[in-house]
Amino acid sequence: MTQEAVRVRVRDSNNATEEGDQEFKNTNFLSILATEDRDFLLSATGSQVKISELEGKIVGIYFSANWYPPCKNFTPLLVNAFEEFKSQTPGFEVVFVSCDEDLDAFNNYRACMPWLAIPFSDLNTKKNLNSRFDVEGIPSLIILQPDNYKVDEAIHDGVELLYRYGKQAFPFTKERLQELQEREREKHENQTLMNLLTSQNRDFLLGHSTSKLVPVASLKGKTVGLYFSAQWCFPGVKFTSRLISIYQKIKEVLLENGGEDFEIVFVSTDHDELSFNLFFGTMPWLALPFNDPTIKNLTKHFDVQWIPSLVILGPDGKTVTKKGRNLVNLYQENAYPFTEARTALLEKQMDEEAKSLPKSKYHVGHRHELTLVSEGSGGGPYICCDCDEQGLGWAYQCMECGYEVHPKCTKSAERPPGSDRQRS
Ligand SMILES: [Zn+2]
Ligand SMILES: [Zn+2]
């Protein structure tokens, strides 16, 4: 599963007018959950609950849809948090704003939600809420505090906060979030290889040699990549074979030069031990044991939201970058040691090289002419349509089709005879 493209746009072109916003800031937000002839929401059992009963509670407005896997993944997490906090003070309530396709889908999805919902048929209210809160993708969880049910003070990243901090994010106040950020900063400052990779009962990693167990302490002083991946994830399997070849090249160069060393530790999210063993069997590096509790902590600590992901730690155990995968795709073995200084140098080189690239070209994989773009000129992070890997910086792009490829992935072609238009 790759989640790069997870955020489906649901923004409505029908944005609220400035005048409307102004008016809205001055009203109790609860009123926009109602209509002229409806002052209630639907409970989990389908009964009517007066909107006024939300008064005094922290309210999460949850935009979600049954058909979309990232929504379905998040909903159980929200259910857990809801069950725990609904009867605390202040209470917690969730209002589901459905982006489902039809009433059946809505009802199916509702069956796993213990909270309230806007009736499916009330398209207008759903549309208004979408534009009020400027919802750009789902799942989206907007949090409103009882003392200021104001749009401009709403917290928009409830989904990210729950993923990141779990139940600790509650009650989502500014003070609470600041405290969590501060705690996290401290944790990262005090981060060492030992406290990241060992646990009370384990000070070793799995290896392939006869001894099989490799002390974590033996990694001290090395640049270490934490590789979050799993065999069930197709991009993970694909990226693994690329990473193996690059790992071996980096090791070769380091061996020649002596001194520094590089290691990778597989952090598996495989579903069963057999898949783990099979997948790890293809890798030349070390691994945390299958299902080790450390894995969950690492995922949280580095806020890993999708796999494959490669987090790079420096010889002192501090985080160098969380974008290891991207850097490997862009610069291959040259990315080592992944530091900011190294990346800046490579970026400069790439800009230099791009000067000699043609401004536009035909590529065998696409029937329209492609234009060279950089981040500054219409580019941005993308997924290469040729190798399916992440890209950043320079790209060849067909704007009309949303087709983008790494410059290194293009294979020049003549203007295909079948191409139906010439791009200016
Ligand atoms: Zn590519
Ligand atoms: Zn095209």
Side-chain angles (χ1 to χ4, degrees):
M1 173 191 65
T2 174
Q3 290 201 2
E4 269 98 11
V6 295
R7 295 260 148 173
V8 168
R9 290 188 68 82
V10 294
R11 181 200 279 277
D12 200 312
S13 57
N14 185 14
N15 273 324
T17 61
E18 248 173 61
E19 201 179 310
D21 277 339
Q22 202 48 52
E23 187 188 326
F24 177 60
K25 277 174 195 162
N26 300 333
T27 42
N28 186 326
F29 99 95
L30 295 174
S31 64
I32 61 157
L33 296 174
T35 61
E36 263 175 42
D37 34 86
R38 179 178 57 74
D39 63 352
F40 62 87
L41 297 164
L42 297 180
S43 78
T45 55
S47 62
Q48 300 184 358
V49 174
K50 287 261 193 265
I51 290 169
S52 54
E53 285 184 30
L54 296 184
E55 216 71 66
K57 292 185 180 180
I58 295 168
V59 176
I61 303 188
Y62 182 40
F63 299 83
S64 187
N66 189 41
W67 51 266
Y68 195 46
C71 291
K72 286 180 83 170
N73 292 341
F74 178 72
T75 300
L77 207 82
L78 186 57
V79 170
N80 271 339
F82 175 77
E83 294 296 352
E84 183 153 341
F85 300 125
K86 62 180 178 188
S87 36
Q88 295 202 359
T89 317
F92 183 45
E93 189 52 83
V94 175
V95 178
F96 172 45
V97 182
S98 161
C99 310
D100 291 303
E101 280 164 320
D102 54 44
L103 187 61
D104 278 346
F106 169 78
N107 285 331
N108 272 335
Y109 200 20
R110 280 287 289 147
C112 65
M113 295 181 179
W115 48 68
L116 307 177
I118 306 273
F120 182 76
S121 57
D122 189 351
L123 299 177
N124 233 353
T125 303
K126 290 191 284 185
K127 204 163 131 185
N128 284 338
L129 288 169
N130 252 309
S131 71
R132 285 295 188 200
F133 294 107
D134 209 14
V135 173
E136 290 198 355
I138 52 172
S140 181
L141 180 67
I142 310 285
I143 306 277
L144 296 144
Q145 295 293 340
D147 48 343
N148 58 5
Y149 286 134
K150 300 268 174 62
V151 171
D152 51 347
E153 292 186 29
I155 286 170
H156 284 241
D157 52 354
V159 172
E160 288 76 11
L161 290 172
L162 270 180
Y163 268 125
R164 184 164 193 148
Y165 301 116
K167 292 170 180 174
Q168 296 192 1
F170 196 80
F172 300 100
T173 53
K174 267 187 200 144
E175 296 72 24
R176 182 72 190 146
L177 299 179
Q178 262 165 16
E179 192 186 318
L180 288 169
Q181 267 172 11
E182 179 58 27
R183 220 189 275 175
E184 194 150 279
R185 200 184 53 79
E186 267 171 31
K187 235 167 129 186
H188 280 266
E189 264 174 20
N190 300 327
Q191 171 183 317
T192 64
L193 263 184
M194 294 307 280
N195 67 25
L196 281 177
L197 296 181
T198 62
S199 62
Q200 215 147 24
N201 317 310
R202 183 186 49 72
D203 61 356
F204 60 85
L205 298 165
L206 303 183
H208 299 287
S209 61
T210 41
S211 64
K212 294 260 181 196
L213 304 184
V214 178
V216 174
S218 70
L219 295 183
K220 275 188 189 163
K222 299 185 182 185
T223 296
V224 174
L226 300 180
Y227 180 43
F228 297 83
S229 191
Q231 202 193 25
W232 52 260
C233 164
F234 177 66
V237 173
K238 228 177 136 188
F239 181 72
T240 300
S241 56
R242 173 179 318 222
L243 189 58
I244 290 171
S245 103
I246 283 160
Y247 168 81
Q248 280 159 346
K249 283 181 191 154
I250 293 175
K251 293 286 264 189
E252 265 168 44
V253 173
L254 292 178
L255 199 66
E256 275 170 36
N257 299 344
E260 294 170 41
D261 203 359
F262 177 55
E263 196 47 80
I264 292 180
V265 178
F266 173 37
V267 184
S268 158
T269 41
D270 283 301
H271 295 322
D272 56 82
E273 192 153 12
L274 182 65
S275 322
F276 166 78
N277 286 334
L278 285 173
F279 200 25
F280 180 47
T282 68
M283 300 172 180
W285 46 68
L286 310 177
L288 279 164
F290 171 71
N291 224 356
D292 192 280
T294 309
I295 292 173
K296 239 186 182 163
N297 296 342
L298 288 174
T299 306
K300 229 175 173 180
H301 183 73
F302 292 108
D303 194 23
V304 175
Q305 299 196 356
W306 54 70
I307 57 170
S309 241
L310 182 66
V311 173
I312 304 288
L313 309 173
D316 59 355
K318 303 279 184 286
T319 311
V320 171
T321 179
K322 298 203 281 186
K323 292 187 187 152
R325 175 180 168 200
N326 218 321
L327 295 175
V328 162
N329 284 326
L330 274 178
Y331 305 118
Q332 295 80 44
E333 62 273 20
N334 297 324
Y336 181 86
F338 306 94
T339 53
E340 244 174 72
R342 180 69 188 160
T343 311
L345 185 80
L346 291 165
E347 257 169 37
K348 225 170 125 191
Q349 269 174 19
M350 200 149 96
D351 286 350
E352 211 48 50
E353 276 166 30
K355 281 185 192 157
S356 60
L357 293 174
K359 294 275 165 289
S360 59
K361 73 191 287 188
Y362 282 98
H363 160 61
V364 289
H366 195 72
R367 62 199 186 116
H368 304 133
E369 193 173 26
L370 305 178
T371 315
L372 185 66
V373 294
S374 73
E375 231 169 330
S377 64
Y382 61 94
I383 302 294
C384 172
C385 294
D386 196 74
C387 70
D388 291 329
E389 271 299 341
Q390 298 169 303
L392 191 73
W394 294 94
Y396 276 103
Q397 181 188 62
C398 171
M399 185 87 105
E400 272 165 72
C401 304
Y403 186 93
E404 285 183 292
V405 281
H406 293 120
K408 67 176 167 68
C409 288
T410 57
K411 293 167 208 78
S412 292
E414 292 300 310
R415 185 178 164 228
S419 73
D420 50 357
R421 76 197 105 158
Q422 186 144 24
R423 292 165 53 84
S424 56

